[in-house]
Amino acid sequence: MYSEKVIDHFMNPRNVGEIKDASGSGTVGNAKCGDIMKVDLKIENGVIKDAKFKTFGCGAAIATSSIATEMIIGKTVEDALKVTNTSVMEALDGLPPVKVHCSLLAEEAVQSALWDYADKNNLVIEGLKKPAPDQEHHHDIDNEVVNV
Ligand code: FES
């Protein structure tokens, strides 16, 4: 039920770790499944030079954070904002419906790190929204909950 790309990024995740003196860091969580994802960014002259992640979560969350970091490295901050959960899922050749929220975590973690960067540098980045203040926020995933 998982694509080869999802399995590859889960088995061999790219960009795992942390960045010392990161330009911006973001940690997000999903209250329902309890998974947590942290993204660190190194940004120079408005371009993402490096991105690392640590995900305490399911395989799909690890795969989406792995590919999301790959997708944003080398991009400008503005272009990185266009890396949404939809583009992450497309890059992974899809995710099962019950795992869509995992890709939202990746989008939120990147945006949260970008917000931290903007906040530290007094920058206003068009289209970037302030993340929720705690880790309890989540999108409406009720229709994705499965009975086990
Ligand atoms: Fe919650 Fe994948 S992030 S199950």
Side-chain angles (χ1 to χ4, degrees):
M1 75 177 203
Y2 286 115
S3 73
E4 277 177 27
K5 280 194 188 159
V6 173
I7 292 166
D8 177 33
H9 277 269
F10 170 58
M11 302 293 278
N12 309 292
R14 283 51 147 196
N15 306 311
V16 176
E18 290 176 299
I19 297 176
K20 264 195 169 179
D21 306 322
S23 315
S25 298
T27 304
V28 296
N30 182 294
K32 289 207 171 168
C33 64
D35 290 356
I36 295 172
M37 192 181 288
K38 176 170 181 269
V39 167
D40 289 343
L41 301 176
K42 186 91 201 156
I43 301 172
E44 284 169 18
N45 300 321
V47 175
I48 298 174
K49 296 286 183 189
D50 198 10
K52 296 250 187 271
F53 79 91
K54 273 195 166 175
T55 292
F56 301 94
C58 73
I62 289 166
T64 52
S65 35
S66 167
I67 202 157
T69 53
E70 271 201 332
M71 289 167 78
I72 60 173
I73 290 173
K75 281 197 165 68
T76 62
V77 167
E78 286 75 17
D79 284 345
L81 272 180
K82 295 179 198 142
V83 175
T84 62
N85 79 302
T86 312
S87 53
V88 162
M89 279 197 299
E90 276 170 11
L92 285 171
D93 293 337
L95 281 173
V98 293
K99 291 288 176 183
V100 170
H101 78 270
C102 318
S103 63
L104 275 169
L105 263 193
E107 175 188 320
E108 289 175 353
V110 169
Q111 298 214 354
S112 171
L114 287 172
W115 181 271
D116 184 40
Y117 161 73
D119 198 36
K120 280 179 178 154
N121 292 281
N122 290 321
L123 298 172
V124 176
I125 300 172
E126 205 173 324
L128 181 61
K129 290 187 209 82
K130 188 173 177 24
D134 55 38
Q135 295 179 8
E136 297 300 306
H137 73 293
H138 56 85
H139 291 257
D140 180 16
I141 58 167
D142 287 347
N143 58 355
E144 294 164 17
V145 172
V146 277
N147 296 313
V148 285

